[in-house]
Amino acid sequence: APLHRRWDAALARDLAGRLALPMTRATRTLSRGEAMKAALLLALAARPRVLVMDEPFNGVDALSRDELARAVLAAAADDGTTVLVAAHDIMELETMVDHVAILAGGRLRAAGPVEAVKARYRKVTVTGERAALDAVAGAGAWLSVERAGRMLAAVHDGDAPPLDERALRDAGAESVAIEELPLREVFAALARAARGQGVAA
């Protein structure tokens, strides 16, 4: 506390209660989840303007993860704290964040509001004979293509030439389904494309 001029002792006590943190125990005896709660308490009670978290939920049980996420969101809402989270658990983050930046292969591949990033990419599932699937695989600017039997699943980047469902049917597709991707699948497609693994037969 003496190290932080904005230290809020009342908030520290409140967080200790909300996070069920055993304040009388030495930090070296805390479990992984308890240690993460203690680190979060120390960070939030200092009333930071920016909070940077690296893999904050890694190795933490589901209940502790939920408690940590709620505490972070409350801090962001109450103080206007900007929270920057670096993590691989994308499904966990999708419900928490407003903006996202996806790094793959050492480069920034997509960035912006979560809904805008998700709206940019579409999963296209096509069924048909092999020749038709071959034609479809070559007909789009796909980030990734996966085939299994009479089915082809591909990811389309909205910044590429527009997706033409009629052209896919003209190529011999018997059925075409187009749907929005969850953020995790957007990341997976971008990561595969960055590694040059976009197309699989």
Side-chain angles (χ1 to χ4, degrees):
L3 298 176
H4 300 280
R5 59 187 175 81
R6 288 163 51 90
W7 182 264
D8 187 331
L11 176 58
R13 286 192 298 273
D14 178 59
L15 285 168
R18 276 196 284 160
L19 296 172
L21 195 57
M23 298 294 284
T24 57
R25 283 172 48 197
T27 53
R28 68 179 178 277
T29 68
L30 299 177
S31 69
R32 166 73 179 164
E34 290 168 339
M36 287 303 301
K37 290 177 185 180
L40 184 62
L41 181 149
L42 292 173
L44 292 178
R47 296 280 186 188
R49 292 183 176 85
V50 178
L51 176 61
V52 180
M53 305 175 75
D54 185 15
E55 298 289 354
F57 307 122
N58 195 19
V60 177
D61 65 81
L63 180 59
S64 295
R65 191 178 303 141
D66 188 51
E67 291 168 342
L68 290 167
R70 281 205 309 269
V72 169
L73 291 173
D78 294 345
D79 291 343
T81 300
T82 297
V83 182
L84 177 63
V85 183
H88 290 91
D89 192 345
I90 297 167
M91 288 177 66
E92 196 68 47
L93 290 181
E94 189 168 353
T95 60
M96 290 179 60
V97 300
D98 299 317
H99 286 70
V100 64
I102 296 176
L103 299 170
R107 288 182 46 212
L108 181 65
R109 304 292 171 169
V114 171
E115 293 308 315
V117 171
K118 287 168 61 177
R120 175 177 162 181
Y121 302 93
R122 289 287 181 265
K123 181 177 182 180
V124 181
T125 306
V126 175
T127 60
E129 298 299 329
R130 182 178 180 85
L133 296 184
D134 288 343
V136 169
W142 309 118
L143 276 177
S144 66
V145 177
E146 295 179 1
R147 293 172 61 162
R150 299 182 74 252
M151 188 183 79
L152 177 147
V155 176
H156 180 263
D157 182 347
D159 280 1
L163 187 60
D164 188 344
E165 185 175 343
R166 184 174 177 178
L168 297 179
R169 291 188 182 279
D170 289 346
E174 294 169 13
S175 69
V176 178
I178 301 173
E179 58 189 324
E180 187 177 279
L181 289 166
L183 201 56
R184 181 185 162 283
E185 290 188 38
V186 171
F187 171 78
L190 290 168
R192 281 194 296 268
R195 293 175 186 165
Q197 298 172 344
V199 179

